Amino acid sequence: MTSTTSTPADADRALKARHRAMWASGDYPSLATDLLLDLGPIVVTAAGVRPGDRVLDVAAGTGNVAIAAAEAGAAVVASDLTPELFEAGRARAAERGVELEWREADAEALPFSDGEFDVVVSCIGVMFAPHHQRAADELVRVCRAGGRIALLSWTPEGFIGQMFATMKPYAPPPPPGAQPPPLWGSEQHVRELLGDRVTDVVVERRTLPVDLFATPEAFRDYFKARYGPTIAVYKALADEPDRAAALDADLADLVRRSARDGALEWEYLLLTAVRRPEVPSPR
C-alpha cells in the first residue's frame, strides 16, 4: 500500500487551478466590455507607452490594456492564468485592427526572461494573484532597467474593495499565505512590495463612474451571474440558503449606501514607477 503526500508545489497548482476555474466561470468578458473599457487607455497613458515599446500586460484578462497598448504602436504580450478569456480578447483586437501575442502565464512565475520588456502593466489583474510578493517580484524582474511599471488596482476603501469585504464573512477561508486582492490598492503595501528596486513612483487615487445599474438588486444579480469571485462565494453557499439570502441583502445594501443619484464611483489606485537602473559592478 502506498501513500501520497501533498507538497507545496501540489498545493500551489491546485490553488491556481481553482483561480483559473473561477475566472473562467460566469461571463467576465461581457463585464469587462460593459464596465471596464475606459481603464485600458488610462493605464497606457500613465505608463507612457510609445511606438516600438515591448509591453507585457500581466493578468490581462480580455486584453483591455493590451489592446490599447497595441493601438499605441507597441509590441504587446497579453498574459493571463485563464486562457479561456483570450477568445474575447482576440475578437476585440481583430475588430480594432491590431495584433498582439496572447500567452497563458501565472503572474507569480512569468515565463519571460529578466528585463525582457520596456513596459510592464497590470490593470485590476495582478492584484488577484494570491501571493503578493511573488507577483511583485516577477513584475520587476521582467522589466528592463529604466523601464516603466504601471499598476491599477481597486482600493480597500473603494466600492469594489468594500464588496470584497462584504463577501468575506460568507466565503471559505483563504489558503495559508494568500493575501486579500484590495491590498494592492494601498499605496504603502505596493511601495513595500516593489521596494527600492523602483524609483520615480507616482501615485493617484481616481474613480471609475458606473451608472449601468437601475437598482441595487440589478447590480447584485449582474455580478452573481458574471463575476467569478462573486459566483465562487455563492457556489460555496449552495447548501446554505439562509446565508445566501443574507449575502443577497448585504450586497444590495452596499450599493444602496454607496450610490449617489443612482450612480457608483469605483475608487482605484494608479501607480507608476521606473525600474531602477542597474548599479554597475565594481571593476
Side-chain angles (χ1 to χ4, degrees):
M1 183 175 179
T2 60
S3 62
T4 58
T5 302
S6 178
T7 67
D10 293 333
D12 190 64
R13 281 191 291 270
L15 174 60
K16 299 302 171 57
R18 292 196 298 273
H19 272 237
R20 175 176 171 172
M22 178 183 73
W23 289 107
S25 66
D27 189 358
Y28 185 78
S30 71
L31 183 151
T33 299
D34 289 344
L35 300 170
L36 305 176
L37 289 184
D38 289 346
L39 297 179
I42 288 171
V43 175
V44 168
T45 298
V49 174
R50 300 184 291 262
D53 277 342
R54 183 154 169 77
V55 176
L56 174 65
D57 186 1
V58 177
T62 57
N64 191 8
V65 179
I67 292 169
E71 290 179 317
V76 183
V77 178
S79 69
D80 201 279
L81 184 68
T82 308
E84 291 87 343
L85 301 176
F86 291 166
E87 181 179 356
R90 289 189 180 101
R92 184 164 172 266
E95 290 173 1
R96 305 290 294 184
V98 294
E99 295 184 1
L100 56 152
E101 180 182 348
W102 301 86
R103 185 85 174 267
E104 180 178 350
D106 179 354
E108 297 179 7
L110 294 170
F112 306 109
S113 302
D114 295 358
E116 186 171 339
F117 297 93
D118 302 301
V119 183
V120 178
V121 299
S122 189
C123 177
I124 55 173
V126 74
M127 65 182 291
F128 291 99
H131 306 106
H132 294 187
Q133 191 62 63
R134 287 187 209 168
D137 291 348
E138 287 293 272
L139 295 175
V140 175
R141 180 184 66 79
V142 300
C143 185
R144 67 166 175 82
R148 286 101 64 204
I149 296 171
L151 306 171
L152 188 155
S153 308
W154 303 124
T155 65
E157 305 85 3
F159 178 80
I160 297 297
Q162 289 302 298
M163 184 182 77
F164 276 93
T166 299
M167 294 191 296
K168 182 179 178 180
Y170 298 94
Q179 294 175 281
L183 274 180
W184 280 85
S186 163
E187 177 181 349
Q188 180 179 351
H189 183 67
V190 183
R191 283 182 178 272
E192 290 174 353
L193 292 174
L194 299 176
D196 61 3
R197 298 170 297 180
V198 299
T199 185
D200 299 318
V201 176
V202 177
V203 178
E204 289 184 77
R205 284 178 180 255
R206 301 184 185 180
T207 58
L208 175 70
V210 173
D211 60 1
L212 180 66
F213 306 105
T215 66
E217 292 74 19
F219 166 87
R220 179 198 65 208
D221 294 343
Y222 181 97
F223 269 68
K224 284 176 66 173
R226 291 170 174 81
Y227 192 56
T230 307
I231 292 168
V233 174
Y234 276 97
K235 183 177 179 180
L237 299 175
D239 297 326
E240 301 180 79
D242 290 346
R243 295 188 73 218
L247 178 55
D248 276 349
D250 285 350
L251 286 174
D253 186 57
L254 172 67
V255 179
R256 199 169 288 111
R257 296 195 315 268
S258 304
R260 299 290 181 270
D261 298 323
L264 296 166
E265 296 284 339
W266 294 2
E267 185 182 61
Y268 59 86
L269 186 83
L270 179 64
L271 181 146
T272 59
V274 174
R275 173 75 158 90
R276 189 178 294 278
E278 301 292 343
V279 178
S281 300
R283 293 184 181 275

